[in-house]
């Protein structure tokens, strides 16, 4: 009886060890794979080499768990919607919606760590130049966006003015006909009005 119990315990311990080993192996396999979807890039950080210079494109890739780590970035074109309310010359409120598609910003500056230590003054001057170029480019983009927005608002206001002037003339004609009908109905009901036939 004792040997049966010992055999049972041995089998249980072996199956537990096998289960634990398969769980560890599965976890290691899952942690050693990562997927980069469409419209994304990945950058790998290696704890021994630092950030690896090549970006990783779409598909499933492998890495060394604990030593490497993948950082996935979305590079898809993204929408941005800007909603504003404007007032026309005749004080009517007009809602405008601007829908812009944009891509993430490009690299502004790229400096290696050893360059930063050796040529710190030159690198900082380079960073200032690159920052200034970036700020000028950003200001130009903002100016261009403002101009496009103003042109859109102007075209929309002109379109609204044209439509309202056409509708206004039709409205005036409609009101004139309606007033004529009311006058004729009032005159028909009045006993003091004499209708005369013309030959």
């Amino acid at each position: 009886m004792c040997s049966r119990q010992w055999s049972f315990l041995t089998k249980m311990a072996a199956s537990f060890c096998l289960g634990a080993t398969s769980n560890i192996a599965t976890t290691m396999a899952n942690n050693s794979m990562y997927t980069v979807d469409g419209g994304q890039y990945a950058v790998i950080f290696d704890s021994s080499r630092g950030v690896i210079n090549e970006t990783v494109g779409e598909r499933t890739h492998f890495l060394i768990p604990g030593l490497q780590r993948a950082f996935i970035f979305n590079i898809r074109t993204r929408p941005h919607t800007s909603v504003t309310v404007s007032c026309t010359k005749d004080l009517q409120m007009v809602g405008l919606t601007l829908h812009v598609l944009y891509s993430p910003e490009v690299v502004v500056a790229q400096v290696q760590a050893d360059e930063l230590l050796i040529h710190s003054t030159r690198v900082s001057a380079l960073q200032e130049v690159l920052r200034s170029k970036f700020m000028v480019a950003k200001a130009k983009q903002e100016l261009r966006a403002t101009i496009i927005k103003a042109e859109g608002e102007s075209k929309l206001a002109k379109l609204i003015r044209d439509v309202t002037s056409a509708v206004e003339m039709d409205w005036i004609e409609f009101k004139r006909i309606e007033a004529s009908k009311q006058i004729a109905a009032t005159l028909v009901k009045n006993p003091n009005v004499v209708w005369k036939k013309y030959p």
Side-chain angles (χ1 to χ4, degrees):
M1 181 100 164
C2 187
S3 65
R4 280 186 178 175
Q5 288 177 344
W6 181 253
S7 173
F8 176 73
L9 289 176
T10 306
K11 287 180 183 178
M12 286 297 288
S15 66
F16 176 75
C17 289
L18 183 62
T21 305
S22 71
N23 282 344
I24 290 172
T26 304
T27 303
M28 290 294 285
N30 284 340
N31 289 337
S32 67
M33 296 186 330
Y34 65 98
T35 301
V36 179
D37 294 327
Q40 294 179 336
Y41 274 117
V43 176
I44 305 299
F45 176 75
D46 190 325
S47 59
S48 63
R49 296 184 292 169
V51 177
I52 298 175
N53 284 335
E54 295 97 22
T55 57
V56 181
E58 307 169 4
R59 68 185 174 131
T60 301
H61 302 278
F62 294 96
L63 54 77
I64 303 167
L67 183 63
Q68 295 177 332
R69 186 171 175 198
F71 293 92
I72 298 176
F73 295 96
N74 187 358
I75 59 164
R76 292 182 183 109
T77 302
R78 299 178 188 157
H80 175 73
T81 303
S82 177
V83 178
T84 183
V85 177
S86 182
C87 196
T88 62
K89 286 182 182 178
D90 55 352
L91 301 177
Q92 292 183 359
M93 300 301 284
V94 178
L96 301 172
T97 303
L98 178 66
H99 191 73
V100 178
L101 297 175
Y102 69 95
S103 294
E105 293 290 336
V106 296
V107 175
V108 175
Q110 186 174 9
V111 180
Q112 299 291 334
D114 55 348
E115 290 178 10
L116 187 60
L117 294 174
I118 296 170
H119 310 289
S120 62
T121 56
R122 192 179 85 202
V123 168
S124 57
L126 175 64
Q127 284 179 333
E128 285 298 320
V129 169
L130 291 173
R131 185 179 296 119
S132 298
K133 284 183 181 179
F134 175 74
M135 295 304 286
V136 168
K138 183 179 176 185
K140 285 181 180 178
Q141 286 293 330
E142 289 174 352
L143 177 64
R144 187 169 177 233
T146 304
I147 291 171
I148 290 171
K149 181 180 176 184
E151 287 174 350
E153 288 178 354
S154 172
K155 287 180 182 178
L156 182 63
K158 183 181 181 303
L159 181 63
I160 290 172
R161 186 183 68 235
D162 293 344
V163 169
T164 54
S165 65
V167 169
E168 188 175 285
M169 294 307 290
D170 291 341
W171 181 255
I172 291 171
E173 182 66 21
F174 173 73
K175 285 297 189 180
R176 188 184 66 77
I177 292 170
E178 196 174 76
S180 297
K181 284 182 181 179
Q182 287 178 352
I183 292 170
T186 305
L187 289 176
V188 167
K189 293 176 186 175
N190 192 344
N192 294 329
V193 175
V194 177
W195 295 92
K196 186 176 179 183
K197 285 188 174 182
Y198 287 102

